């Protein structure tokens, strides 16, 4: 009878779990209702603090994850915004260098009575003493390192029937940015460090229960008979643990989706953990025909399947779990000693993405994570790099869901990069961290590659060997490389990727003319690369820089740059002045900066697309986002405002794209789809600064799947203005416009001084001349919009027509919360910072969540560099503003 009941109960549990990314029979995540206090402020003995009825009414109420400072901010301890100006410096407090207490009371459901109980700590930064019900269960020699998953059997200390008190005394890391510091979170030259160095709890604290035997860390590895995907050979692994002091026999049962089942018996010695494997050779049902395959989003659908596992002891379910899996195969190969090609399901892929950064105070929001992943996809990126700053499960679940690949690994530039200085304890932390991350991330569908080092291979070869042994033993299913740069590892050989800069502003011509393979041009996989600053809009700037400090040389401005070599925007600013002319005030500067950011970032991404698979196989913009409001290295700013950089990148990475080569003067097509196109029409039109057409040509072309192709070259036109425009259009055989792309060009060619290149930039000897754009003849616009409101979000269809006789340059559309309100953020525009030929009409869409409009009627504010506001017309709810303010 028990067997019959079990057969019915398990499917019910699994059906409940199927709709969620991850679920277990019991998982108490201790998220809310914590109390936090400095051990200096409350110096009571630990055995008192960790017992019931201890008075914490004066402690701070926090939710976990949180750092010391994040907890204080949540409790509004400070009467200032730490992001404004240099206020971050005001957070310094000697108490942050001393231990802090985190205390949480909890009870277990009666159904868990008598089971083995495990406390799972995932993200203690940096070391801690742990107390439960008045008993110290682990000290800081064992609890150390933010990336470790530490599981403590607390069965003897737990109160199954009443209240429990967990108290964790945490000491922050010290000098993680130094060669002999702690193996913690390091920001290198990104930002000024928060004074607590992210001390606190930076990931989940959980209580789990098992009835004698537990199963965890499932792994499903896929092997296809490539190039065919009609059969997937799946291998299932999991860790099984005996939590008792006596030997146990268990049956490990599994199910994939609703129809594939498998099981095997396992014998476990007292307290033994072992890996259990189900191979497709031994379990024929794991050879699946016509599987639902997970693809990166532009290559196909990111299909997710479900794995379900349970441990059964004596016909009783000890525990069960379920989580999403991707049936996919990740591979890579060296094209040469400098270049590596990554392969998904047998198809090579051009990696184009950006580097993720967590909040400066390690604050996490599931809503914001999804907002950001959606912005990444809207830019047409296919990969996110995370350099040693691990996110939480929700982040990886979102990447799985949206088909976003992930590149991750250990970080630069402090103690992680210098294992030659580690002692035995630090090495133990590093190896335990590597094991934890392998177990944690190995089953994520989105994970493409793991990097055992960032700016160089591990300098101690025995460390890399130990990492590789761990990764092999735990069956990491994806490529592993030694470093994010091109140095050859003495252990694993060439990485096939590069990290040669630039990180500072360079002109568009740079990316195609690095022919020596010494710098950041379009070759190999650039794991971190950028044309430097991304200046936020004025509306964002005034949120973190006082208005009286809105100068590129003010102390507040410099404080919100990077550090070290990146402590100012002077290289960018010099180029802006030389190329676009002297700025007449901050708003004038910001408007020009958007144009310079747009062209620089677009050119970088376009060059890699144009040269795809001609050793150019990947480009990762450094960075995607800022940990706090910053002036460099982001695609959208801290407030999620998409500006020039964002739309330049988005334009460059259209799936079917027409582009101009700054090097060859050719018009080309870049196809990112896994299908070919025929009978495409490519049209190029050249306009003088006054709107006169100087050249017009159309041609028909075909292009293969995932390919690039030059179609024709543009001629040199002698009788043309010093600054002129090129409009490109790509139309399919049905007449549908696939891509419109505008360039503003100069008769004065930019000249790079390659001999004076360094690791972060290449200076110019001659700059382009775009100063004529300041005096471009005025034009007028007409704007109308229609609203399609839904219960959750609203989309507006905005029609913009250039009703004048000259090119409308850099038309920028904003969606405001009413006429005098702030911008609605986040927001998705189909395109922005566009240009329009005389008489041209473009239709744009604008989509946002209704709650983000805060019940205000949206107001569309439109600008262009040469807009005659008085003669432009907009319907109700629309208006115009200066695009190039003269202040």
């Amino acid at each position: 009878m028990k067997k019959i009941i079990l057969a019915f109960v398990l499917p019910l549990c699994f059906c409940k779990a199927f709709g969620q990314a991850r679920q277990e029979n019991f998982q108490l995540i201790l998220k809310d209702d914590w109390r936090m206090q400095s051990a200096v402020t409350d110096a009571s003995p630990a055995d008192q603090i960790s017992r019931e009825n201890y008075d914490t009414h004066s402690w701070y109420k926090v939710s976990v994850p949180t750092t010391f400072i994040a907890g204080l901010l949540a409790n509004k301890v400070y009467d200032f915004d730490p992001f404004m100006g240099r206020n971050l410096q005001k957070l310094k407090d000697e108490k942050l260098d001393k231990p802090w207490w985190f205390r949480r009371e909890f009870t277990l459901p009666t159904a868990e009575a008598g089971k083995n109980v495990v406390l799972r700590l995932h993200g203690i930064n940096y070391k801690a003493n742990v107390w439960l019900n008045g008993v110290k269960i682990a000290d800081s020699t064992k609890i150390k390192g933010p990336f470790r998953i530490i599981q403590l059997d607390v069965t003897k200390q737990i109160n199954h029937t009443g209240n429990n008190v967990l108290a964790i005394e945490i000491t922050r890391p010290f000098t993680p940015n130094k060669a002999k510091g702690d193996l913690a979170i390091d920001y290198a030259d990104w930002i000024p460090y928060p004074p607590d160095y992210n001390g606190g709890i930076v990931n989940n604290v959980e209580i789990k229960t098992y009835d004698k035997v537990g199963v965890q860390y499932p792994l499903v590895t896929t092997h296809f008979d490539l190039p065919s995907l009609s059969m997937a050979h799946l291998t299932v692994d999991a860790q099984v643990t005996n939590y008792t002091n006596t030997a146990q026999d268990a049956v490990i049962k599994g199910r994939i989706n609703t129809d594939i089942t498998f099981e095997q018996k396992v014998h476990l010695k007292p307290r033994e953990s072992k890996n259990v494997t189900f191979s497709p050779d031994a379990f024929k049902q794991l050879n699946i025909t016509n599987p639902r395959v997970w693809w990166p989003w532009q290559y196909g659908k990111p299909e997710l399947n479900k794995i379900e596992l349970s441990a059964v002891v004596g016909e009783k379910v000890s525990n069960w779990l379920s989580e999403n899996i991707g049936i996919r195969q990740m591979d890579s190969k060296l094209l040469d000693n400098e270049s590596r090609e990554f392969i998904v399901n047998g198809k090579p892929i051009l990696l184009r993405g950006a580097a993720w950064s967590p909040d400066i105070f390690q604050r996490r929001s599931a809503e914001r994570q999804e907002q950001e992943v959606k912005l990444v996809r809207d830019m047409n990126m296919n990969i996110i790099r995370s350099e040693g700053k691990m996110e939480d499960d929700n982040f990886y679940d979102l990447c799985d869901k949206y088909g976003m690949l992930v590149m991750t690994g250990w970080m630069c530039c402090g103690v992680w990069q210098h294992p030659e200085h580690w002692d035995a304890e630090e090495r133990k932390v590093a190896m335990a961290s590597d094991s934890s991350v392998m177990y944690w991330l190995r089953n994520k569908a989105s994970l493409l590659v793991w990097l055992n080092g960032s700016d160089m291979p591990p300098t101690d070869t025995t460390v890399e060997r130990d990492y590789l042994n761990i990764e092999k033993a735990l069956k990491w299913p994806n490529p592993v490389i030694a470093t994010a740069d091109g140095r050859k590892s003495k252990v694993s050989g060439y990485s096939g990727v590069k990290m040669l800069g630039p990180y500072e502003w360079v002109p568009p011509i740079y990316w195609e003319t690095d022919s020596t393979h010494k710098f950041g041009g379009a070759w190999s996989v650039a794991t971190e690369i950028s044309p430097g600053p991304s200046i936020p809009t004025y509306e964002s700037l005034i949120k973190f820089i006082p208005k009286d400090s809105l100068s590129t040389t003010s102390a507040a401005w410099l404080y919100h740059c990077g550090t070290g070599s990146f402590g100012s925007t002077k290289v960018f600013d010099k180029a802006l002045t030389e190329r676009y002319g002297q700025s007449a005030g901050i708003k004038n500067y910001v408007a020009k900066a958007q144009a310079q950011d747009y062209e620089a970032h677009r050119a970088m991404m376009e060059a890699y697309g144009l040269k795809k698979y001609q050793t150019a196989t990947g480009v990762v913009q450094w960075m995607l986002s800022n940990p706090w409001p910053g002036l460099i290295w982001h695609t959208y700013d801290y407030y999620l405002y998409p500006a020039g950089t964002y739309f330049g990148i988005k334009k460059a990475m259209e799936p079917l794209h027409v582009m101009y080569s700054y090097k060859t003067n050719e018009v080309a097509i870049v196809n990112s789809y896994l299908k070919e196109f025929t009978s495409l029409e490519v049209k190029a039109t050249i306009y003088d600064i006054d709107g006169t057409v100087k050249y017009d040509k159309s041609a028909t072309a075909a292009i293969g799947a995932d390919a690039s192709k030059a179609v024709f070259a543009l001629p040199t036109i002698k009788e043309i203005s010093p600054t002129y425009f090129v409009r490109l259009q790509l139309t399919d055989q049905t007449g549908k416009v696939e891509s419109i792309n505008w360039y503003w060009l100069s008769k004065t060619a930019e000249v790079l001084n390659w001999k004076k290149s360094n690791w972060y930039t290449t200076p110019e000897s001659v700059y382009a001349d775009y100063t004529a754009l300041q005096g471009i003849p005025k034009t007028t616009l007409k704007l109308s919009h229609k609203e399609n409101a839904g219960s959750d979000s609203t989309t507006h269809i905005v029609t913009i027509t250039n009703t004048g006789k000259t090119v409308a340059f850099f038309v920028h559309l904003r969606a405001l919360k009413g006429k005098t309100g702030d911008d609605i953020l986040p927001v998705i525009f189909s395109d922005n910072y566009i240009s329009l030929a005389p008489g041209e009409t473009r239709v744009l869409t604008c989509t946002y969540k209704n709650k983000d409009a805060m019940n205000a009627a949206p107001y569309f504010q439109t600008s262009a560099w040469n807009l005659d506001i008085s003669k432009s017309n907009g319907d109700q709810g629309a208006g115009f503003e200066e695009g190039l303010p003269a202040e």
Side-chain angles (χ1 to χ4, degrees), residues 177 186-193 412-413 455 503 528 561-567 622-623 632-633 759:
N177 55 330
D186 179 20
Y187 292 105
D189 47 18
W190 306 3
I191 54 172
Y193 282 81
C412 86
C413 291
D455 288 24
Y503 298 89
E528 50 182 76
C561 296
T563 62
S565 300
F566 309 105
W622 193 258
M623 302 180 68
I632 66 170
W633 298 340
W759 65 275

Side-chain angles (χ1 to χ4, degrees), residues 2-30:
K2 289 180 180 178
K3 291 183 179 180
I4 295 174
I5 293 172
L6 181 63
F8 281 97
V9 170
L10 273 177
L12 289 174
C13 295
F14 290 148
C15 288
K16 179 181 178 182
F18 197 88
Q20 301 181 30
R22 188 170 297 96
Q23 196 175 32
E24 300 183 41
N25 59 298
F26 181 78
Q27 180 186 35
L28 177 60
I29 298 178
L30 303 178

